[in-house]
Amino acid sequence: MNTKEYENLLMKIEGSTIALVYVFEKDYTEGFQHYDPWKSDVISDWLRAIQELHCMPFILDVRTFAQKALNGSLPQIDYIVNLNAGTNNLSTLGLVPSICSFLNIPCIPANTETTIIGEHKRFSNLIATALHSNVPADTPSTMPNGIFRPINYGSSHGVQKGFPQKLPCDKYVYQQFIPGFDMTIPILYNPLNETLESLPPV
């Protein structure tokens, strides 16, 4: 795809309605609690990006989105940006993309299957291993120097050195500690050359 084709693609979505579905932090419903919801700065950045594309932003929280979607009172929506993140319950992360699939509305950044598999550390480790990436070896819980990581949390939430307590094995991974430093390398899709490109490490 060349630059002109990319510009034409962006022009085709001008005037679209793009819904931002975010987490209302004071929603304390059991099963819908969040340890790390997106803050207003992230929501604001998305709103600005939508307006820069000459599209109409429509913002609502997850509960309102679900209720309106299921009772048929949503306005016409062309795309949905899912900002439901950081839930204590991994299955809850699939709520917004599942509803989007039901309504046949494209959902950014991913569908339910990709979201759950990518967030589930056991599954993501298996995928990384199958793709020949180096993954720390599983370690018995009796080993004091392992790294304990809850299956469903991100942003290093709940990570600690040593095994904290007896838990069902489907709730965590306990892996070998590897000395060094932690680094994140963002990878974005470049539509101009149709490849994945890495950004500077954080």
Side-chain angles (χ1 to χ4, degrees), residues 32-187:
F32 196 61
Q33 296 172 356
H34 290 70
Y35 65 88
D36 191 21
W38 291 115
K39 302 297 183 185
S40 58
D41 58 335
V42 174
I43 297 171
S44 297
D45 287 344
W46 274 103
L47 287 171
R48 277 194 297 273
I50 290 169
Q51 290 182 321
E52 286 176 8
L53 291 170
H54 305 289
C55 295
M56 177 66 66
F58 181 62
I59 182 168
L60 65 172
D61 67 287
V62 175
R63 178 178 296 281
T64 304
F65 168 69
Q67 289 172 342
K68 285 183 169 293
L70 298 178
N71 69 23
S73 63
L74 278 175
Q76 171 62 37
I77 294 175
D78 300 295
Y79 305 95
I80 290 177
V81 177
N82 176 20
L83 297 181
N84 175 32
T87 60
N88 291 346
N89 186 338
L90 183 58
S91 295
T92 307
L93 284 180
L95 180 62
V96 173
S98 291
I99 293 173
C100 291
S101 176
F102 178 73
L103 298 175
N104 197 30
I105 301 174
C107 182
I108 299 167
N111 62 19
T112 301
E113 182 181 24
T114 303
T115 299
I116 299 300
I117 290 175
E119 291 287 338
H120 193 291
K121 291 184 178 65
R122 179 68 63 198
F123 291 153
S124 56
N125 278 344
L126 289 171
I127 292 169
T129 301
L131 295 173
H132 309 293
S133 295
N134 292 325
V135 174
D138 285 344
T139 300
S141 59
T142 53
M143 299 295 290
N145 292 326
I147 296 298
F148 177 89
R149 299 164 62 214
I151 284 288
N152 55 319
Y153 291 159
S155 303
S156 299
H157 187 81
V159 174
Q160 67 180 71
K161 191 173 182 180
F163 195 83
Q165 57 184 335
K166 290 186 177 180
L167 291 171
C169 61
D170 63 339
K171 300 295 184 188
Y172 65 89
V173 291
Y174 191 62
Q175 296 171 307
Q176 173 189 2
F177 173 70
I178 299 177
F181 59 92
D182 188 39
M183 179 172 62
T184 298
I185 301 177
I187 297 176

